[in-house]
Amino acid sequence: MPSRDPHGDTGRPPDHVLDLFVAEGVLEPLPGGRGTTWRAGDLALSPGHDASEAWLAPVQARLAVRLDEQSPRSVRLVLPVPARDGNLVVDGWVATRFEPGTTPCLDLAALRATAHLLHAHLASAVPERPAALDARTDQWAVAERQAYDADAAVAAAATRPEPGLAGLVERLVAGLDDTDLGREHLVHADLAGNVLLDAAGTPFVIDLSPAWRSPLWAEAVCVLDAVLWLGAPRTALDDWSTGVERQAMLRAALFRVLSDVPCDVARYESLDLT
């Protein structure tokens, strides 16, 4: 998957970030996610986060512990680690506990099963929409809102320099209707590439990207990303070509083409989503 660091910076964590998180050991880049995560000892550090996400860490920590206490484990969630000054985000960087012995999960069926399990747990863990979600101004939060506002999506695409992007967005928007995608609750908006398999083969979810949307939309994003970047077959999109699934996929595609900077328009065009 392409880098999705909002600053376009794939560099190492700054020294003051390492100091505040008490990160020790040799720095090494980690695969998966946005391609910008670094390991330092028993920590994994990721950029591109906003201080408004601080509400998520306690929720995530409690859920991670509860999932690890299950027997047998069906899904796991990475454990966030605060800095020594108590902050959870330091200049856009967050730290989580590094899990040794993991391998990337590339199987689409396993990714979709993980989505169903994780989203059921998140719905239970966060019963009401956190107001802090409205404070997010990163490119993914902005694109997510635009995916649910046709006029905003078209207007945003018109300002972008990528050839063909405006036309692609207009065609995606033309296929939208008012179909209800189902109950909205907290979901992981970037699952593909962020699911690992631990040493026992249990799905281990990293880099939780929060959104308050339908799980069907989040799953559509996952399927789209898997086809685009993880080698899943184009036929995986066939189940998303009609009905409520098509509406979820159209909004997933709008989210992705508007959040990818720059957007590889030809890659999306090749899928014939419109």
Side-chain angles (χ1 to χ4, degrees):
M1 296 174 69
S3 169
R4 292 194 175 129
D5 176 6
H7 307 296
D9 182 3
T10 57
R12 51 166 278 163
D15 289 342
H16 73 281
V17 170
L18 296 173
D19 177 61
L20 281 171
F21 280 116
V22 197
E24 300 176 343
V26 176
L27 277 174
E28 58 176 318
L30 293 174
R34 297 169 184 166
T36 55
T37 299
W38 292 75
R39 177 188 177 185
D42 62 352
L43 296 181
L45 296 108
S46 303
H49 295 267
D50 188 86
S52 66
E53 297 178 36
W55 66 270
L56 182 61
V59 173
Q60 182 175 336
R62 287 192 295 270
L63 181 55
V65 171
R66 188 162 75 245
L67 292 176
D68 274 354
E69 290 174 344
Q70 291 184 337
S71 182
R73 293 172 174 171
S74 58
V75 63
R76 300 180 62 202
L77 184 60
V78 69
L79 187 68
V81 177
R84 57 188 173 86
D85 63 358
N87 288 320
L88 293 158
V89 182
V90 178
D91 284 355
W93 289 83
V94 298
T96 54
R97 189 67 61 198
F98 175 73
E99 179 75 13
T102 60
T103 56
C105 178
L106 304 178
D107 180 74
L108 182 54
L111 290 172
R112 295 181 69 176
T114 300
H116 295 165
L117 289 168
L118 177 66
H119 291 152
H121 286 293
L122 287 174
S124 175
V126 187
E128 296 183 357
R129 186 182 188 277
L133 285 172
D134 295 329
R136 289 183 58 192
T137 58
D138 58 88
Q139 68 197 58
W140 302 284
V142 171
E144 173 214 320
R145 295 168 192 142
Q146 292 167 343
Y148 281 79
D149 183 335
D151 291 340
V154 171
T159 67
R160 296 273 294 271
E162 299 96 321
L165 179 61
L168 173 59
V169 168
E170 289 174 359
R171 291 191 297 276
L172 290 169
V173 165
L176 294 175
D177 59 31
D178 295 328
T179 297
D180 186 352
L181 302 186
R183 177 194 168 210
E184 296 187 340
H185 60 73
L186 189 66
V187 296
H188 192 321
D190 192 22
L191 263 175
N194 283 313
V195 179
L196 310 175
L197 298 176
D198 69 12
T202 303
F204 183 77
V205 180
I206 62 173
D207 203 9
L208 181 55
S209 300
W212 196 265
R213 296 296 179 188
S214 161
L216 187 67
W217 170 81
E219 186 176 350
V221 175
C222 178
V223 171
L224 177 60
D225 284 348
V227 172
L228 283 167
W229 312 110
L230 301 184
R234 167 64 180 79
T235 54
L237 297 173
D238 291 349
D239 292 339
W240 300 81
S241 59
T242 60
V244 64
E245 288 80 9
R246 170 172 167 76
Q247 293 301 308
M249 184 55 69
L250 288 172
R251 294 193 188 277
L254 283 168
F255 166 59
R256 275 300 181 228
V257 300
L258 292 170
S259 63
D260 285 357
V261 181
C263 176
D264 187 347
V265 176
R267 197 175 192 110
Y268 287 94
E269 291 276 22
S270 70
L271 299 181
D272 193 23
L273 295 169
T274 60

